[in-house]
Structures are given as structure tokens and as C-alpha cells.
Amino acid sequence: MKPILIINFKIYKESTGNNALELAKIAEKVAKEENIEIALAVNAIDLQKIKENVEIPVYAQHVDGVELGANTGFISVEMIKAFDGTLLNHSEHKLDFEVLKQTIERCKNQEIKTIVCAATPEEAGKISELNPDFIAIEPPELIGGDISVSKAQPEIITNTLEKVQVPVITGAGIKTKEDIKIAIELGTKGVLVASGITKAKDPESILKYFAESLK
Ligand code: G3P
């Protein structure tokens, strides 16, 4: 299987609303032209529109472990069934462990893929017991910066790989194709990137440049 690039759109101005759709189309174009795997993690408001307009996988950025019914303001697992899966437990949207457990179970029951973020190898080890589809290791202090975990602290990746039984994705501070190459060589199945793409002046060029490490 080819390594995957997951673009976390977060809720940057550059990756919400019409900008989200534009970025999604650029990602789809590059995925096709370069023959690489790209998936998108999109905010709840833009999900439907993007799913209708691109053919690459579209994930929710979060889902709540609640049932359909009297749950104002929540997003239930059933409501994201049309999409390709969900991120969970991102450093910017941390979940209590019991809530995470229940949410992963509900996703499994509905056959929704989960990519669960972990801040440390220890947390990744604990999450691995819940058997999500992927674990994304992202040290919070490196998120949004210019130094990747691959280069700054590769031992975080290797320690994570030792502690978990599910495929691992690397995230935080990824800005160069070398960051991606190292993450993959260390044994992770892909990368989770936000600002390197969403804040880029020319996202298409950056994606093509990243593609060199994703074939
Ligand atoms: O989920 C990906 C994210 O937290 C990493 O953000 O901006 O460091 O690529 P960034």
C-alpha cells in the first residue's frame, strides 16, 4: 500500500468555506496526476459539499460518541456514515479516555474508520488497546511549527511503533519532503499535515513537492 498524505484542513481561513472546496480540488488533482494517496480531514460544515465534489477520501475532523436524538450541537456517528472516516482525539480536540473508547466502539459498529491522535508514545500505547484503524502520533509542541517530529524527535516515532499494534501516521511540523521520507522510512504509513499545505502560498506546488516522497 502506498503511504498516505492526510491533509487536516483544521478551520483555517484558507481551508474553510469556498477555500476548502478549492483546496480539496487541488488535492484531488495532485492525487490523480501524481498517482498518490491523499485524504482530507474537513470541518463538519464543509464535509458534505466536499464529499460531493471530489473523489478522494474525505474524513470528518471529529465525531461525538452520542446517539441520534436529543443531543443539541453534537455530531453523532450515524451522521458521518457517508464519509470515509473520522479523526479523533486531536490535540486541539482532546477527549476523555472513556469517551474516546465509547466513540471508537460506536464508529466500529457503524463501520466508520478512525484515525486517533496521540500526543506521546505512552498515550499511543493506551489508545492501541482500543484498536482504531490508525494512530497519528503528533507531539503538540511541534504542531503548527517548522520543525517536524521526524527530524527533531524521531525516537517519538520509533517508540510509538514499538508500543502499538495498529498502523501509525506521523504528524506535526511537516514542511519538507525529507520530513515525509524519514517518517515513512521509520515505519509509519503516512503523514498528517495541516499548515504546510493550508497556509502555503501555492498549495499545488507544495503537494507536488511532497508527492516526491509518497510514491
Ligand atoms: O493534524 C495535523 C496537525 O495537527 C499538524 O499540524 O500545522 O503542524 O502540520 P501542522
Side-chain angles (χ1 to χ4, degrees):
M1 204 182 114
K2 278 189 192 155
I4 190 163
L5 165 64
I6 304 164
I7 309 175
N8 183 356
F9 279 34
K10 303 200 176 180
I11 53 166
Y12 287 111
K13 183 166 168 264
E14 295 84 352
S15 48
T16 50
N18 289 339
N19 292 340
L21 183 55
E22 203 177 311
L23 181 58
K25 289 195 168 209
I26 290 170
E28 179 188 47
K29 178 171 179 267
V30 175
K32 281 187 183 157
E33 284 176 4
E34 301 288 328
N35 194 22
I36 58 168
E37 298 293 323
I38 301 182
L40 314 173
V42 176
N43 78 73
I45 304 293
D46 293 324
L47 266 176
Q48 185 70 38
K49 177 180 55 191
I50 289 184
K51 184 67 187 169
E52 282 166 4
N53 282 282
V54 298
E55 286 171 1
I56 56 176
V58 179
Y59 282 68
Q61 290 177 8
H62 168 76
V63 71
D64 298 297
V66 300
E67 294 182 0
L68 288 172
N71 284 308
T72 304
F74 289 83
I75 302 169
S76 85
V77 169
E78 288 80 356
M79 289 160 69
I80 62 159
K81 269 199 77 115
F83 309 106
D84 297 276
T86 186
L87 291 185
L88 284 171
N89 198 45
H90 192 279
S91 286
E92 295 150 9
H93 204 140
K94 228 41 201 166
L95 298 178
D96 171 85
F97 190 74
E98 281 308 308
V99 172
L100 179 61
K101 184 176 174 193
Q102 185 195 359
T103 309
I104 292 173
E105 273 167 19
R106 288 185 55 74
C107 286
K108 280 183 189 297
N109 291 340
Q110 297 291 330
E111 296 178 354
I112 291 168
K113 271 197 201 141
T114 50
I115 302 171
V116 181
C117 300
T120 63
E122 291 67 34
E123 188 187 11
K126 214 173 152 205
I127 291 169
S128 176
E129 291 165 22
L130 306 177
N131 199 28
D133 293 282
F134 291 93
I135 289 179
I137 180 74
E138 295 203 325
E141 65 280 10
L142 297 176
I143 291 177
D146 287 332
I147 300 168
S148 71
V149 61
S150 318
K151 281 190 187 150
Q153 289 173 291
E155 67 280 3
I156 292 186
I157 301 175
T158 46
N159 290 345
T160 301
L161 287 163
E162 277 166 22
K163 288 185 194 304
V164 313
Q165 275 77 50
V166 298
V168 174
I169 306 272
T170 300
I174 290 176
K175 295 287 183 301
T176 70
K177 67 178 183 183
E178 287 76 27
D179 296 331
I180 298 175
K181 190 165 177 270
I182 294 168
I184 292 162
E185 281 173 358
L186 288 172
T188 59
K189 303 293 181 200
V191 288
L192 181 54
V193 182
S195 54
I197 296 164
T198 59
K199 304 290 281 180
K201 282 208 174 75
D202 182 353
E204 183 169 339
S205 301
I206 287 290
L207 284 168
K208 286 186 173 161
Y209 161 72
F210 283 172
E212 293 173 33
S213 293
L214 290 161
K215 292 182 176 175

